[in-house]
């Protein structure tokens, strides 16, 4: 394993908090774990005896499954609780749920919740590590990890890359985490989409904002597409989905404006024919399925670092009391 172990955090809550060195540490471990993907025997004994609790209060395919696979590949036991299947649906508070999960001897809690700040809240309630798998429109930090890991895998380095994030930025936790991650790693970020979903105020984060999609795509090394997040919108932000596709959807003509070697990313789920032309989603330029695979190794790295730091802190506490 890598020697530059510089992880001192209990939790993994946001990209905004992290330094470039911490991002590089995660990638160094993810690089190591990536080598196991093609092996016949994919399991490592690293987290044997640990129990990982996946608490998913919002729908998920990629994140939930990738965390489960990541935990299993590290030989941890993993339990997933989703939506109505938990006693939250019977009126139990999130606080009591978390306290009971910790009392049931879980070693790590992974949480997805529609409320921004919920992962931070849980991290203050329990002594075990809390990993944010998406909190409302705030952050989706492991998504940004796998997105940047995919760009790094393709280009070698993110320094100097022009990355355009196109779509519903306002309601997107993926966009927020990527704005931090991409800039920390040296990329320039452009946000594009309708003015109602891409407010100029985002320029405060050091990014460019364009409402003209063609201008935004020109000279981009990569475009990250986002779907319209209807589940977080309480009002209408554009005339119709058809109108949105016509004005902002990525089609062949618009993709031709990207740099010749440019790649297309999408966190999923993809709404084919809305934010992206279906053929483009399956084209050579698309790295959408690679992103899903990289989600396993980035989450293995985060689980490993958080669980190991927790074990080291416990050992230090025990030694101090002896
Ligand atoms: N990208 C992402 O978070 O996908 P899921 O909602 O399927 O986990």
């Amino acid at each position: 394993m890598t020697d530059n172990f510089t992880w001192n955090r209990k939790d993994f809550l946001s990209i905004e908090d992290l330094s470039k060195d911490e991002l590089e540490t995660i990638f160094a471990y993810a690089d190591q774990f990536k080598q196991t993907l093609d092996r016949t025997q994919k399991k490592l004994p690293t987290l044997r005896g640990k129990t990982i609790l996946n608490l998913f209060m919002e729908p998920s395919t990629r994140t939930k499954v990738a965390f489960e696979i990541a935990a299993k590949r590290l030989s941890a036991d993993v339990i997933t609780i989703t939506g109505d299947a938990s006693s939250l649906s019977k009126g139990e508070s999130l606080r009591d749920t978390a306290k009971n999960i910790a009392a049931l001897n879980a070693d790590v809690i992974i949480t997805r919740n529609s409320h921004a700040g919920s992962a931070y809240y849980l991290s203050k309630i329990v002594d075990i590590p809390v990993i944010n798998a998406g909190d409302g429109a705030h952050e989706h930090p492991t998504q940004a990890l796998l997105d940047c890991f995919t760009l790094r895998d393709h280009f070698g380095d993110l320094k100097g890359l022009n990355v355009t994030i196109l779509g519903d930025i306002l309601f997107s936790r993926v966009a927020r985490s990527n704005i931090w991650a991409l800039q920390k790693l040296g990329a320039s970020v452009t946000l594009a989409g309708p003015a109602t979903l891409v407010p100029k105020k985002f320029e405060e984060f050091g990014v460019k904002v364009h409402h003209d999609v063609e201008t935004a795509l020109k000279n981009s090394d990569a475009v990250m597409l986002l779907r319209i997040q209807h589940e977080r919108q309480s009002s209408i932000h554009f005339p119709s989905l058809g109108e949105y596709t016509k004005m902002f959807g990525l089609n062949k003509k618009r993709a031709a404006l990207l740099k010749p070697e440019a790649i297309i990313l999408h966190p999923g789920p993809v709404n084919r024919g809305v934010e992206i032309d279906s053929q483009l989603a399956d084209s050579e330029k698309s790295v959408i399925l690679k992103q899903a695979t990289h989600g396993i190794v980035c989450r293995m790295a985060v689980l490993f670092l958080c669980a190991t730091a927790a074990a080291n802190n416990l050992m230090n506490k025990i030694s101090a009391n002896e």
Side-chain angles (χ1 to χ4, degrees):
M1 274 298 149
T2 178
D3 290 330
N4 58 340
F5 180 68
T6 55
W7 190 263
N8 296 312
R9 290 178 183 272
K10 168 182 165 281
D11 309 294
F12 181 76
L13 302 176
S14 79
I15 298 287
E16 186 180 2
D17 288 349
L18 296 186
S19 66
K20 182 173 186 281
D21 282 351
E22 286 173 310
L23 288 169
E24 297 290 3
T25 296
I26 296 169
F27 292 150
Y29 280 95
D31 281 337
Q32 303 277 340
F33 292 131
K34 188 166 177 257
Q35 292 173 23
T36 65
L37 287 178
D38 298 326
R39 289 191 195 154
T40 322
Q41 173 50 272
K42 296 180 172 60
K43 273 201 176 197
L44 298 167
T46 325
L47 297 187
R48 189 181 290 149
K50 302 277 182 215
T51 302
I52 312 290
L53 204 299
N54 249 344
L55 181 61
F56 272 63
M57 305 315 296
E58 273 191 329
S60 170
T61 299
R62 280 148 290 270
T63 314
K64 178 160 61 70
V65 173
F67 266 120
E68 282 192 14
I69 292 174
K72 287 178 180 177
R73 293 280 166 85
L74 294 169
S75 300
D77 297 312
V78 57
I79 298 164
T80 297
I81 307 175
T82 56
D84 287 349
S86 83
S87 286
L88 283 158
S89 66
K90 293 187 274 185
E92 189 174 44
S93 68
L94 191 57
R95 182 180 189 280
D96 285 340
T97 300
K99 286 253 180 216
N100 277 276
I101 288 170
L104 286 163
N105 261 212
D107 294 289
V108 177
I109 297 180
I110 299 162
T111 166
R112 169 170 288 195
N113 195 294
S114 58
H115 297 287
S118 51
Y120 176 81
Y121 173 70
L122 287 187
S123 75
K124 298 294 164 209
I125 287 172
V126 292
D127 289 336
I128 58 175
V130 173
I131 296 175
N132 184 5
D135 62 328
H138 174 228
E139 279 226 36
H140 190 348
T142 58
Q143 180 66 46
L145 286 182
L146 73 91
D147 293 339
C148 291
F149 188 80
T150 304
L151 285 164
R152 183 176 163 275
D153 184 64
H154 187 85
F155 292 106
D157 193 350
L158 272 70
K159 202 158 183 247
L161 290 185
N162 294 320
V163 180
T164 296
I165 309 178
L166 169 59
D168 174 1
I169 310 289
L170 188 60
F171 295 94
S172 173
R173 54 195 177 203
V174 175
R176 279 172 183 74
S177 288
N178 266 306
I179 287 169
W180 298 121
L182 289 163
Q183 292 190 108
K184 283 172 200 263
L185 293 166
S188 297
V189 179
T190 298
L191 306 179
T196 47
L197 293 174
V198 192
K200 276 276 182 193
K201 69 175 183 191
F202 272 90
E203 284 174 347
E204 287 169 18
F205 298 127
V207 301
K208 287 186 201 137
V209 169
H210 283 303
H211 301 126
D212 171 53
V213 68
E214 279 80 13
T215 308
L217 292 174
K218 258 181 223 162
N219 285 322
S220 290
D221 296 286
V223 58
M224 251 178 218
L225 296 166
L226 298 174
R227 72 184 170 88
I228 305 298
Q229 283 132 116
H230 298 285
E231 70 273 25
R232 294 192 200 111
Q233 298 180 6
S234 54
S235 58
I236 295 166
H237 291 78
F238 45 85
S240 68
L241 275 184
E243 196 76 16
Y244 177 86
T245 305
K246 208 164 123 189
M247 296 287 291
F248 300 101
L250 190 70
N251 52 32
K252 232 173 149 183
K253 200 169 158 202
R254 288 187 177 131
L257 297 168
L258 299 164
K259 284 189 183 171
E261 72 283 8
I263 56 173
I264 299 168
L265 298 96
H266 194 311
V270 175
N271 289 158
R272 286 173 183 262
V274 180
E275 68 269 12
I276 183 168
D277 171 87
S278 188
Q279 281 183 351
L280 264 185
D282 298 328
S283 70
E284 278 183 1
K285 285 194 162 300
S286 164
V287 291
I288 296 171
L289 294 179
K290 257 193 193 167
Q291 288 172 266
T293 307
H294 290 160
I296 298 172
V297 294
C298 289
R299 288 169 179 129
M300 284 172 84
V302 170
L303 279 173
F304 170 75
L305 288 166
C306 288
T308 308
N312 288 344
N313 287 339
L314 184 64
M315 290 307 290
N316 291 340
K317 268 187 201 165
I318 292 168
S319 307
N321 288 333
E322 275 171 359

